[in-house]
Amino acid sequence: MVQKKRICIIGAGISGLATCKHLVEKGFRPVVFEADKTIGGVWKSTLASTRLQTSKWDYQFSDFPWPEKVVEVYPHNIQVMAYLESYAKQFELIKHVRFGEKVMGIEYVGVEEEQIEAWDLWGGSGEAFGGSQRGVWHIKVESVKDGTIEIHVMDFVILCIGRFSGLPNIPTFPIGKDPKIFNGKVIHSIDYSNMNASAAVQLIKGKRVTVVGFLKSALDIAAECANVNGSEYPCTMIIRTKRWNIPSFEVWGFPIKYLFFNRFAELLFHKPGEGLILSLLAFLLSPLVWIFSKIVEIHFLKIIPMKKHGMVPEHSFFQAISSCLLCILPDKFYNKVEEGSIVLKPSKTFSFCKNGVEVEGERQPIDSDIVIFATGFKGDQKLRNIFVSSKFQEIVAGIKDNVVPLYSDCIHPQIPQMAIIGFAESISNLYTTEIRARWLSHFLHGKFKLPSKRSMEKNVMEWEKHVKKYSGSRYRGSCISTLHIWNNDQFCSALSSSIMVPIAVAGWFVGPFMGKIINDCYDYLKDYLKDQIRWQTGMKEELERLRENHPKIQAVVFAANQAQLNDNHPINEWIWQLRDALDEVNDALDELEYMKHKEQLTKNMEETKLIKNKKLRKVRSMMKSMKKKLVKIGERGLKRDPILKRLEEAVQKLDKVSANVTTFLRLLDNAKQEQKEQAVDFYKARETGSLPTNDLIGRGEAKEYVTQWLKKLSNEHRNRNISLLSIVGHGGMGKTTLLQHVYEDEITKEFDLKMWVCVSNNFNVNKIIADMLESLDKKKPDLDSLDALQNSLRTEIMSKKFLFILDDIWEEEEENRDISKWEKVLAPLAYGKIGSGILLTTRMDSVATMIAKVIKTKKETFKLEGLEEDQCLQLLNSHAFAGVENPTDDYKRLRSIAGEIVKKLSGSPLAAKVIGGVLNSSLDERHWTRILNSDFTSPKLGQDPKLGQDYIFPILRLSYMFLPKHLQNCFAFCSIFRQDYQLDKDGLVKIWIALGFIQQPHDQHWTIEDIGGMYFDDLVKKSFFDKFETFGRYYYKMHDLIHELAQSISMHECLRVGDGTKLPSIIPKTLRHLSVETTNLDIIKKIGQVKYLHSLFWFQKASNQDICSALIEMLKASRSLRLLYVFDKELKMIPEEIGNLIHLRYLTIFNQKFTMLPRSLSNLYHLQYICCPKWGTSQPKVDFLPIDINNLSNLRYLMLPNYYISLICGIGKLKYLQELDMFDLRDMSGYRIEELENMNDLCKLRINCLENVKNIEEACMAKLCAKTRLTDLTLCWSNTDLRNIDLDENVLDNLQPPTCLRNLSIERYMGVRSAIWMNNVNPIFNLENIELSDCLECETLPPFGQLPFLKSLTLCNMPKVKWLESKFNGNDKYHAFPLLEVLLIQKLKALEDWFEAGVAAEDGCLFPCLIELLLDSCPKLKELPSLPSKLKELHIKNTGWATLNFCSNSNPIPLERLEVIQCPNITSLPLADEIARLAALRDFTIIESPNLISLGRYREVETTNNCDLILDYLCISDPLVLLMEPLRSIASLKEMTIELNDELVSFPNEAEQWFLKLEVRSSLSWLLFNRLKSLESLPSSLESLSSLEYLSIQNVPKLWELPNLPPSLKRLSIWKCPELKKRYREDGGSDRHKNAHIPDINIDTNNIQVMAYLESYAQQFELLKHVRFGEMVMGIEYVGVGEKEIEAWDLWIHVMNFVILCIERFSKLPNIPTFSVEKGHEVFDGKVIHSMDYSNMDSSAALQLIKGKQITIIGFLKSTLDIAAEYADDQSIYV
């Protein structure tokens, strides 16, 4: 997560570098903007004579000492710059700096200033990246080089711009006395410092220089002028304030810091927050301050001639040092004063004249050629100027005293997501900056929160008060000089303390969970007890104790988890007691939140009811409010409030349990020591070597893959030195054994060097490099330092081809830290020879990705799955019968048992090996049977050494122990699902959220679902979930062993009771999650015994009359449920008692028969997810939903049939809803578009009936642009009848979506033009899929071709559009539709050209990524200049194209499928011309295109070897096409159709000969003749088709005879061929015997025979047992309509994974024509029926109906003709 945070640092001085370094250590990737060309800040532009003001030991980074070659105590500026550059290089900081980029302004956007001001906590949450309502910083950056401007978006900004640079502080003068009147040159010290040395000397040489100022830069410039000009041209210093500038920080050889800057000295000063004793000490010792100050003053007045020159300051030395306003004098400064090369002129005021400077008290002006202002900088103003907001400019820096009011000298209480580093000063500025940078990095990393803004401001004021006391008029708020040790102690305390709401992950329930509970208790008590006269002190004391014990509890639980203590250890019982107590407190807090929500709803309802009578409303509201307050005060005063009482009892219980934490501290130390010893033994046991210890069984394929990969390293030319192959698999899969056998293979002899290193989970950089050297030299290297080890390894492998095996790698820390370590390990390998390779084994796919990143190569992975059952059995037997003679003959019974055992091993080679060894210990059948009946992977693994599980289970558990704590909880919960269960990512994430497993995001750009998705992806990367795909849908599974691991870990809190299994007689009290699949009511009743049950999955298959009462009982008892999943097909109602589950977050009800949801559902205010697919009716039932379901304002996801969602009135109250798949607008309150106004969390939205939006104002109220998470949007009008076109256009104009939109669909829009926002690329910049359909009046399309990410474009039924893209630049810098992959165009009848200007672009410019193109009914469209180079599918129907144009280059054409249908203008297709490039073509259709005369010019066969056409399918209308090349010379064809030709009478002789071709005879297996109205004969050459298996002849009415058919034919189908039917029917066909060799002949016969045939077919293949007769499907629903992921299947069991509709087109739903009211069938006096009703009658009833009646039949298809023919002989029938 940290890598995704966007953080910028402005300035690359010491504060910027220190901050960058500490952020990088925490895993962030900050960007540093620096206007100059180098780092160093103020040091890059100092004078050559400038030295450090403090000793080098007081000015160095804590982890980077000065080089030994710097011997000076006060280094000069060049040495300081070299030191800073070395620091940046050492920690690789330069790569984060963007030089020459100047920040012009920063602006906080996304939250109004008034809202920021109203926040109680900094940023709304006290967290670095803000709360749920947060903004971002827009950073305006100008390139110094070319002046271009860029806007960067950042989540956090750190200002390191410093106080002593940038904006010069120039004194002001009256007009006529200012520098304009002066004849000389006036500059600021910064201008002088920026000059190079020679230019500076040239400027001042021989000039009379006046320097204004008496601080560091003034002193240095004056000294430099004196050195250049001497006393001939003395430098005059105008000194407005006399200062304590001293030669060194020593008094009589004694360092001043021992007087003022040590822990004893700090006892002399008062400090913020000091206690009584410290305050008293400071009072009593305060005289010492005066004494020390006087001692120092006497010393310096003695050694410096300040009195002589009138330079004694008016303030004390102590005030100077307290305000950081003293400097070190340049060498021999006062000597220069004595000799006259420097002249000191103290003066409060001065002004300019023509020849120089006039000073107070001097009659003559000071003649000057140059005046240099060394007057400092306006650091506060520079800080103000960087803000765009005038409000922030006003508050960021104080008006007086140059004060910047910063909490912890970093954070401004009123400005969120920003810090300022470098404004604090002390005796050691660098360390002061560094400690703040470190503190800030911890804060950004989420280690603590800030207190309230009020507390922060109070802290700032207290600091000012105390510092002002000592610095007096010299006060500068940024100076911490005399209190810098105490101040730094506060930072160190903050870094290690957990009082500031820690967010450690040392156990989710005692880390963030417990911390949150304690703070929530405080918040609620303050709110609920504000009406009481006194605070309940007892409860407050308990909470304070909990806060005090919290870090200890975290430490104990974390250590216990690491120690892997057994179940009987006493600490486990205490931990569960702690969890129980925490759950009780959490329930009480949850209930308080529930009641708060309920009261607010009641208040809102009352206000709504009384809205019409304002006076009455006001009186009643006041009376009711007073009554409620009195009741509350009374109840709380008497302690009758039941919820508060429960909270108090729960807190007391938690306090009591927590108090026992100290008992376990010592106990835990012993357990940890024991565990460490076991770990050492375990690590030693896990170490591997290169020599195989087992035979390689069942891994031949895997070994072949790896050896082939090694061969490629030698044979293929590669651009990089090192290639990488990762072997990924679960523990015990045989990864190490595989590589051991590869390592010893002959192929490895091609390598100059081989190394084998076992990494395991004891990772150490130096150790691994040492192991590599030892593997090469066969002796341990006598080297310790990393540099020496790296250089030694580099020397060994220099220019040599090596093979390096890294066995058993783990991901130990955050990815960036692991990368940093591995970079150091693998750096020397870059010096090896090309063709070198690394093979590694790991359980985690993320490790493979990481190592690939390190060596900068692509990731190649071979996933090692479990063995096949027969291979696993072979391995098991090899160990079970080791040393046994003739096992095959003598131990048949044991081998049979082994066959059963192996089924339980999940293909694990390790399990087969270990269990095989156990079986080998005794060849007694009873022993083997006992092993068979053992539970190999039960939680008792490790407890039975006889079974060897003490070796299997720790290996599996190791994977789990390496997971972060938050992932451990998510994974362990998954044991609640059955083995092989298909996990749905989105559904599982919703469950995790509901159960509180997901930590709230600190960044507003991520939802909690996003964070959960990242958790899920991490578990996939770490191989805990395996990914699969079916029908385009992804799902996930846990390997059987991993599932068993999850069960063993979660055995105390997760339980799954399957059908037929019994609930344990003693249900664990620790149970939190239960899955029950049973019809046993006793089990259901026992559920209520589980006090702290949080989730219940209940599956009821069979009906049970008493189930409802059992369910009611359970709902009453299980009040702590957060999740309820009910699958019951027979349940007729959900009891109203579900309203008891006030803590419920997630609800799924899967049922066929219930008719409405319980009314009490709308009272479950905590509900976040409702999944309730409705079966059984296709018509909406108005009362299916509770009328006030919109009370559930916390809902994030609501899955109902779409028509029910449309029934929700006031859906806008569900403002956190993320998907709204159908929102039907109506012209009535609660259903208008304004409901969308505040639904800003929507990700998917479909708005229907947009014709009901009445005006622009109404459309604007949707505020779609503000929905910054919206990715899918459909805008739909209901009909295309006459509408107000202008209104449609204006409505669409004002429905502009956010720029994050990915998928856009617009249906039945009747505007002439596109929306304004669609014509500008920026608003739709990120679109990937666009669909426009039935936009009948639209004439022009938006500039879709300029969208850089567009992948799919569908345009349908837009008859007035003439161009696809109206703006196109033909130059090769522009690619139209640069990423478009799918283009579907249908019914664009006016479409003439691709681009308005008709510019012909070069090959590759149009659709460079297009894969599929469909053109249907675009008769006027011109051909493309050339077909896209990546096109795989081309479908052309009813277009005006005359030919196809392929790219003119020689590259292969990837076209796989080509269809040309009803294209009368097509005369030629260049297939033959491009046959060499069309090797991918497999499917070719050319039908109803009568003018086709050529498929291209075909070259001689001799020149086209290996270029023959190979097709899987061919469809034609005209057999003459077969005579055109390349079809004439086709090399292979599997299936063929000849259809849709009314003129074909017989096949030409040449076409008949085509069927005789060997290539056709030997490959064609499927042949269809269809809709050939005039065809009288088939080719006689069909008999030669030796591969033909299926022949179908349909709708060939004049065909009267079949030729001889090949013996290979298995099925013959004849349909609607009356002549053939007569001759070949089964009952008396004259030529039936000619085809007796064909097993399956199907000729259309009458319905009785067809029915008999179908019944025989069903009986033959036993199909009837699968049919459920009498059950009518009333409706099916694909929930999440049209979306990529199947939202409806989130964690459902026994739901159909795939639905196949076999409902046929010609049944069930009659097509009844519509009529006007006065012309409808209602006015008809006779009877009106549909043919279906008639067909369903038996024959006698049908005859009775029509006999003697005048009958009219409407229609002329099959059913019409059959009815007419049946009764035409008896009476007249009108058809």
Side-chain angles (χ1 to χ4, degrees), residues 64 83 141 304 343 434 460 578 611 636 690 759 767 771 777 805 908 923 963 987 1122 1626 1697 1731:
F64 192 72
Y83 174 67
V141 180
I304 303 173
V343 178
E434 189 183 23
V460 172
L578 184 67
I611 196 78
R636 290 173 185 167
S690 61
V759 181
K767 182 181 183 302
D771 287 347
D777 300 334
I805 309 289
S908 168
L923 299 184
L963 286 178
R1122 265 66 177 169
E1626 188 174 2
N1697 287 324
S1731 60

Side-chain angles (χ1 to χ4, degrees), residues 245-307:
N245 294 334
I246 56 179
S248 71
F249 280 103
E250 292 184 349
V251 180
W252 291 298
F254 188 77
I256 290 177
K257 64 183 179 181
Y258 293 142
L259 295 176
F260 295 104
F261 307 122
N262 56 50
R263 294 197 177 273
F264 171 75
E266 293 204 351
L267 294 175
L268 309 180
F269 312 120
H270 290 284
K271 296 169 281 294
E274 65 187 355
L276 178 62
I277 296 175
L278 287 177
S279 177
L280 186 60
L281 273 174
F283 174 74
L284 295 174
L285 298 176
S286 58
L288 289 177
V289 176
W290 181 84
I291 294 171
F292 290 163
S293 181
K294 286 302 174 184
I295 291 172
V296 174
E297 289 174 18
I298 291 168
H299 170 75
F300 287 128
L301 287 173
K302 183 177 180 181
I303 66 171
I304 303 173
M306 285 189 275
K307 284 184 179 180

Side-chain angles (χ1 to χ4, degrees), residues 481-500:
S481 177
T482 52
L483 294 179
H484 85 284
I485 295 177
W486 173 84
N487 188 269
N488 290 336
D489 284 346
Q490 306 308 303
F491 280 99
C492 293
S493 175
L495 292 177
S496 61
S497 172
S498 53
I499 302 248
M500 301 176 71

Side-chain angles (χ1 to χ4, degrees), residues 1544-1649:
L1544 181 66
V1545 177
S1546 63
F1547 283 77
N1549 185 54
E1550 294 89 342
E1552 289 215 14
Q1553 293 300 312
W1554 183 87
F1555 284 100
L1556 293 173
K1557 286 173 55 65
L1558 175 63
E1559 294 82 359
V1560 176
R1561 285 186 290 136
S1562 60
S1563 60
L1564 189 63
S1565 61
W1566 190 97
L1567 181 59
L1568 168 65
F1569 299 94
N1570 182 34
R1571 296 188 184 182
L1572 304 172
K1573 186 177 180 181
S1574 303
L1575 186 66
E1576 296 179 356
S1577 64
L1578 294 179
S1580 60
S1581 53
L1582 293 185
E1583 184 179 12
S1584 64
L1585 299 177
S1586 57
S1587 295
L1588 191 66
E1589 295 181 352
Y1590 179 90
L1591 175 63
S1592 180
I1593 307 166
Q1594 302 176 14
N1595 295 287
V1596 190
K1598 292 188 178 182
L1599 184 63
W1600 63 280
E1601 185 179 20
L1602 292 176
N1604 292 332
L1605 298 177
S1608 60
L1609 199 64
K1610 294 180 179 178
R1611 186 175 185 188
L1612 172 64
S1613 176
I1614 300 173
W1615 185 255
K1616 293 191 176 180
C1617 304
E1619 295 299 325
L1620 292 180
K1621 178 181 176 181
K1622 290 178 184 177
R1623 300 185 64 167
Y1624 297 98
R1625 69 178 187 269
E1626 188 174 2
D1627 54 338
S1630 58
D1631 290 337
R1632 176 76 178 197
H1633 63 283
K1634 293 182 179 180
N1635 295 314
H1637 64 285
I1638 302 173
D1640 185 2
I1641 301 176
N1642 183 12
I1643 301 176
D1644 56 335
T1645 54
N1646 63 43
N1647 65 323
I1648 297 174
Q1649 292 170 310

Side-chain angles (χ1 to χ4, degrees), residues 308-467:
K308 178 179 178 181
H309 297 285
M311 296 302 297
V312 178
E314 297 174 1
H315 57 281
S316 70
F317 181 84
F318 178 68
Q319 285 181 317
I321 206 167
S322 296
S323 54
C324 298
L325 289 173
L326 54 91
C327 303
I328 299 295
L329 289 167
D331 291 344
K332 301 179 181 180
F333 179 83
Y334 273 96
N335 290 353
K336 293 179 174 64
V337 175
E338 295 285 342
E339 70 184 21
S341 57
I342 295 177
V343 178
L344 303 177
K345 292 286 184 181
S347 176
K348 293 287 185 184
T349 60
F350 71 99
S351 60
F352 284 89
C353 62
K354 286 187 178 181
N355 297 322
V357 178
E358 296 176 343
V359 298
E360 183 182 10
E362 296 282 342
R363 292 183 178 181
Q364 296 297 323
I366 302 169
D367 292 338
S368 307
D369 299 310
I370 299 172
V371 176
I372 301 176
F373 287 122
T375 48
F377 298 86
K378 295 182 179 179
D380 56 335
Q381 189 58 48
K382 179 172 69 168
L383 194 58
R384 289 190 183 99
N385 291 348
I386 203 167
F387 290 94
V388 174
S389 163
S390 58
K391 175 71 173 177
F392 285 174
Q393 287 178 352
E394 177 186 339
I395 65 176
V396 71
I399 304 301
K400 299 178 182 178
D401 303 323
N402 194 22
V403 174
V404 179
L406 301 178
Y407 173 77
S408 294
D409 302 311
C410 301
I411 305 292
H412 195 293
Q414 297 292 342
I415 304 179
Q417 294 163 243
M418 185 203 75
I420 302 172
I421 301 285
F423 263 63
E425 298 175 73
S426 74
I427 193 68
S428 177
N429 277 351
L430 192 150
Y431 183 72
T432 298
T433 293
E434 189 183 23
I435 191 69
R436 281 149 184 78
R438 183 177 296 171
W439 177 88
L440 182 62
S441 70
H442 278 70
F443 174 52
L444 288 169
H445 200 243
K447 296 300 182 185
F448 53 82
K449 295 181 184 179
L450 296 179
S452 67
K453 291 198 306 186
R454 182 176 298 177
S455 299
M456 293 167 70
E457 289 168 346
K458 182 180 178 182
N459 177 279
V460 172
M461 291 171 63
E462 286 179 353
W463 177 257
E464 289 184 16
K465 175 184 173 183
H466 282 78
V467 178

Side-chain angles (χ1 to χ4, degrees), residues 15 246 611 682 778 1001 1316 1477:
S15 54
I246 56 179
I611 196 78
F682 184 62
K778 310 309 176 190
I1316 295 171
R1477 299 166 61 201

Side-chain angles (χ1 to χ4, degrees), residues 1664-1706:
L1664 295 181
K1665 65 181 179 182
H1666 300 285
V1667 182
R1668 297 173 64 165
F1669 294 104
E1671 295 192 13
M1672 181 178 180
V1673 175
M1674 302 300 295
I1676 66 172
E1677 182 180 11
Y1678 183 72
V1679 179
V1681 175
E1683 304 300 339
K1684 298 176 183 176
E1685 297 176 343
I1686 304 176
E1687 297 290 347
W1689 292 347
D1690 48 342
L1691 303 169
W1692 292 352
I1693 300 175
H1694 303 301
V1695 179
M1696 304 301 174
N1697 287 324
F1698 197 75
V1699 176
I1700 303 171
L1701 297 181
C1702 302
I1703 54 178
E1704 301 185 358
R1705 297 178 59 184
F1706 307 113

